[in-house]
Amino acid sequence: MKEQEKIFPKKSAPEKSARMVETIYGCKWSLTIYQLLANDINRPGAMVRSVEGLTTKVLNECLRKNTKFGILERVDFNEVPPRVEYRVTRFGTKFLRILDELEKLQNEIECEIA
């Protein structure tokens, strides 16, 4: 070996976070849901009424995925009739900043191509 060659281990993609980004971007409604939450629309019924084409079934599936990843949290209120709201978690706030940066990168790419 010549003068202490450095050997670097093989670097692999961050598996869990990459899968999370892929899943969230794969759900065409996730970004819309984040926008609704930013505008204080946090109840599922209000979300469905606010977005044309969004169904309860699709919304619930999307909310479930986001809750599973820890991006959103479900808050149940002990009331009659039952009330449920969703909020962005502390981790979700960090994750949304990453999505914002990806959007900025996409805009830069589009400007360079145009």
Side-chain angles (χ1 to χ4, degrees):
M1 280 176 130
K2 298 179 186 177
E3 291 186 34
Q4 296 290 350
E5 290 181 23
K6 290 184 180 179
I7 298 176
F8 294 95
K10 179 183 175 201
K11 181 141 174 95
S12 59
E15 185 178 323
K16 290 182 182 180
S17 59
R19 185 176 304 126
M20 186 184 317
V21 170
E22 184 178 275
T23 300
I24 296 305
Y25 267 133
C27 174
K28 74 178 193 175
W29 295 107
S30 286
L31 300 178
T32 303
I33 290 170
Y34 303 150
Q35 185 178 25
L36 292 170
L37 291 169
N39 287 290
D40 293 325
I41 301 172
N42 52 11
R43 296 183 67 188
M47 290 179 181
V48 170
R49 288 188 298 274
S50 299
V51 180
E52 188 175 330
L54 178 61
T55 65
T56 302
K57 179 182 176 186
V58 172
L59 173 66
N60 287 336
E61 183 180 320
C62 190
L63 290 171
R64 207 171 298 117
K65 285 179 188 176
N66 278 275
T67 303
K68 178 183 165 193
F69 284 128
I71 298 167
L72 300 179
E73 68 177 334
R74 177 185 165 120
V75 180
D76 294 301
F77 294 89
N78 191 16
E79 299 175 353
V80 176
R83 179 169 59 117
V84 174
E85 293 182 354
Y86 286 85
R87 297 182 187 142
V88 178
T89 64
R90 183 184 287 162
F91 168 75
T93 302
K94 293 177 187 177
F95 183 75
L96 294 178
R97 283 196 304 252
I98 293 169
L99 295 183
D100 289 342
E101 289 300 316
L102 284 172
E103 187 176 354
K104 289 177 188 175
L105 179 62
Q106 179 63 36
N107 291 337
E108 288 177 22
I109 291 169
E110 289 172 358
C111 287
E112 288 177 6
I113 293 174

